[in-house]
Amino acid sequence: MSWLSDEAISRLKEASSLPDVSGTRYRLIERVGSGGMGAVYLAEDSVLERRVALKILDVPDMLNGAGGVSERLVREAKILAQLEHPGIVPVHDAGTLADGRVFYAMKFVEGKQLDQLVKDMNHPSASGADLLPDRLRIFQRICDAVGFAHARGVLHRDLKPENIMVGPFSEVLVMDWGVAKILGSTPDEFDAEAGQSPGHARTVSPARTAHGTVIGTVGYMSPEQARGEVENLDARADIFSLGAILTFLLGGSEPVPREVAAIAQKAMAPQARGRYSSASDVALDVARYLDGLPVSAYPENVFRKGVRWASRYRVAIVLVLTYLVVRALLILFSQH
Amino acid sequence: MNKILLGVILGGILGALDGLTAWFTPEVRTMLLRIVIGSMMKGLIAGVLIGVFARKVNSLALGIVFGLGVGLVLAFLVAYLQHGYYFEIMLPGGLVGLIVGYATQKYGSAPRPVDARA
């Protein structure tokens, strides 16, 4: 005879597997996923009485020093703390648990990962919310956040739909800065080990090259990242990933306008010098497309320019034509 | 472009074009220059009024209605002074006002906010 139901036993098992956060202001509710270097838990901040996300190392860091995962988690928290932007998940707190595991608390983001959102948008039963402009506005917000990080000298290096959350009000948050790099810094132990972090199961294996370690995700990482040229990476590596994300976003949207396809193509140019020089430039080109203006990635011939101009000012053109027709008719009638 | 400036330029050009159509009426062709100048002045006045309105009221619908109204009133005055041709003068005059009203609301830029520290 069992004293506890299976459900109760499974809850107890789940509770016992949660890290011990006693001594902190947080109370764990459930595990919600895993990010770079550790697991992410939904928790309640008992002081401010709000829900937060806690990122905690999966296991205590044996190295507990330079190059260890603890240091990397703290580094990630520090980088995030420097990036105060509506499109970047804010860090509230950081500390160490009783068992030595490092953690940090951040905003609990309720929403969908971009890959899931796009899947839902592409579903045949989806409503009219899957319009191209909606997707492009989401993309613009991603570019804004990434552009802000670049302006602060931070490269994300693992931009992909799984690392982007879209909230219920279309707010966009770029997540998982675990393999971020400070621009201008020299490749360090972190770069050499980053690909081996437990939270990066989806990240390409850290195959060593002549230059360094491959950090990123296949399909979204730039060719220079794939070659392991850690020291040569700049903002254009993330811009390649932005291009790949744009391509992903356009996946279910048919037909893709030539201008938008050209923006994605330019962002994903094989050579870094062929790409946009900043994420803001990518966002600007998308904004220009949405405003009916020409985009830098797609040079137009005179005919296309004329069509776009007429489309942009169609109401004014109709009004002027109406005026001319009325004038012509009045002249015609007056002569008879 | 500033809404008043856009209204003035558009009103002036459309007014002048409106006056030029008098060329198709042989009996008034000798007075073409006076008609063009008068029509352009009418367009300029309409442009200023509509531009000022667009600067104060940010509404496409109201801008169009106001433009139409100004165009009709000014055209009515011109027709009244000429003792006739009400339909022939007021219809295109109203349309010119409507176009200027639409354009100032749609394409005119709002004035920049004043810096509170200045």
Side-chain angles (χ1 to χ4, degrees):
Chain A
M1 178 182 164
S2 174
W3 287 24
L4 294 170
S5 67
D6 290 347
E7 190 186 344
I9 291 169
S10 100
R11 278 172 185 256
L12 279 171
K13 274 184 183 171
E14 192 184 318
S16 64
S17 68
L18 293 176
D20 176 15
V21 293
S22 56
T24 70
R25 58 198 277 181
Y26 305 103
R27 185 179 63 81
L28 293 186
I29 297 172
E30 61 177 330
R31 184 179 168 129
V32 289
S34 59
M37 295 171 277
V40 180
Y41 299 87
L42 169 62
E44 187 173 305
D45 180 339
S46 58
V47 176
L48 296 176
E49 295 180 349
R50 64 176 175 180
R51 289 184 158 197
V52 296
L54 284 189
K55 191 166 186 178
I56 306 174
L57 284 182
D58 278 332
V59 288
D61 184 11
M62 293 299 121
L63 290 172
N64 205 24
V69 282
S70 295
E71 189 197 340
R72 296 209 315 256
L73 196 76
V74 171
R75 185 179 180 277
E76 180 182 353
K78 282 182 179 173
I79 286 175
L80 276 174
Q82 298 301 313
L83 301 175
E84 285 187 46
H85 185 273
I88 297 171
V89 64
V91 169
H92 301 317
D93 184 20
T96 309
L97 301 182
D99 63 4
R101 280 194 256 185
V102 173
F103 74 94
Y104 71 80
M106 57 186 156
K107 177 183 176 179
F108 177 65
V109 182
E110 289 181 271
K112 286 180 179 175
Q113 284 183 183
L114 186 63
D115 56 327
Q116 188 56 51
L117 182 80
V118 170
K119 265 184 205 165
D120 293 349
M121 281 176 159
N122 292 346
H123 195 272
S125 65
S127 63
D130 59 342
L131 297 171
L132 178 67
D134 290 341
R135 297 180 190 225
L136 293 179
R137 281 185 202 104
I138 289 173
F139 180 71
Q140 275 182 301
R141 291 187 195 114
I142 301 168
C143 291
D144 288 343
V146 173
F148 175 82
H150 290 171
R152 291 301 190 95
V154 178
L155 282 188
H156 188 285
R157 295 201 293 185
D158 196 19
L159 289 169
K160 55 185 173 181
E162 292 89 333
N163 284 344
I164 291 153
M165 292 289 288
V166 182
F169 300 100
S170 292
E171 66 270 31
V172 171
L173 284 157
V174 179
M175 316 282 289
D176 206 346
W177 295 74
V179 292
K181 175 184 166 69
I182 309 283
L183 282 167
S185 65
T186 51
D188 50 19
E189 194 64 23
F190 166 76
D191 284 319
E193 300 296 331
Q196 299 172 0
S197 66
H200 281 71
R202 290 169 306 201
T203 302
V204 72
S205 61
R208 286 185 183 279
T209 69
H211 303 285
T213 304
V214 178
I215 296 167
T217 301
V218 175
Y220 292 94
M221 75 168 96
S222 63
E224 59 269 27
Q225 273 176 283
R227 290 192 296 267
E229 296 169 4
V230 177
E231 68 276 21
N232 293 334
L233 295 186
D234 60 20
R236 292 171 298 181
D238 277 351
I239 287 165
F240 182 96
S241 308
L242 287 174
I245 290 171
L246 178 58
T247 307
F248 173 80
L249 273 169
L250 300 173
S253 177
E254 293 290 344
V256 176
R258 279 172 285 190
E259 294 89 339
V260 181
I263 293 171
Q265 203 174 359
K266 183 174 177 182
M268 294 180 72
Q271 298 292 324
R273 63 176 177 274
R275 295 175 207 148
Y276 290 93
S277 55
S278 74
S280 308
D281 288 346
V282 186
L284 184 67
D285 244 3
V286 172
R288 289 182 66 82
Y289 169 76
L290 288 171
D291 287 343
L293 296 169
V295 301
S296 71
Y298 187 74
E300 292 178 327
N301 59 29
V302 178
F303 177 73
R304 282 286 302 172
K305 275 182 188 165
V307 169
R308 192 176 36 73
W309 187 88
S311 162
R312 182 171 165 76
Y313 296 106
R314 59 186 177 278
V315 177
I317 290 168
V318 167
L319 284 175
V320 171
L321 286 177
T322 307
Y323 166 77
L324 292 174
V325 168
V326 167
R327 255 299 170 206
L329 287 174
L330 284 173
I331 291 165
L332 206 65
F333 286 127
S334 69
Q335 286 176 347
H336 286 81
Chain B
M1 191 186 291
N2 160 343
K3 290 182 176 184
I4 297 175
L5 186 62
L6 180 64
V8 168
I9 291 173
L10 212 55
I13 292 171
L14 290 174
L17 287 174
D18 207 27
L20 280 171
T21 56
W23 187 85
F24 293 100
T25 312
E27 54 268 36
V28 295
R29 205 175 281 173
T30 52
M31 298 183 291
L32 188 65
L33 187 64
R34 278 170 55 195
I35 292 172
V36 169
I37 291 171
S39 186
M40 194 166 76
M41 290 303 290
K42 177 168 71 81
L44 289 173
I45 293 167
V48 170
L49 292 174
I50 297 166
V52 169
F53 181 83
R55 206 165 154 167
K56 302 275 181 198
V57 181
N58 192 22
S59 160
L60 185 62
L62 287 179
I64 289 171
V65 170
F66 185 80
L68 181 65
V70 167
L72 286 173
V73 167
L74 289 175
F76 172 80
L77 289 175
V78 172
Y80 181 75
L81 290 173
Q82 292 193 1
H83 308 291
Y85 299 108
Y86 284 95
F87 182 73
E88 291 84 347
I89 294 173
M90 285 180 69
L91 182 62
L95 269 175
V96 167
L98 188 148
I99 292 170
V100 176
Y102 172 82
T104 50
Q105 290 284 348
K106 187 81 178 172
Y107 305 115
S109 55
R112 288 178 190 168
V114 179
D115 190 342
R117 291 167 299 179

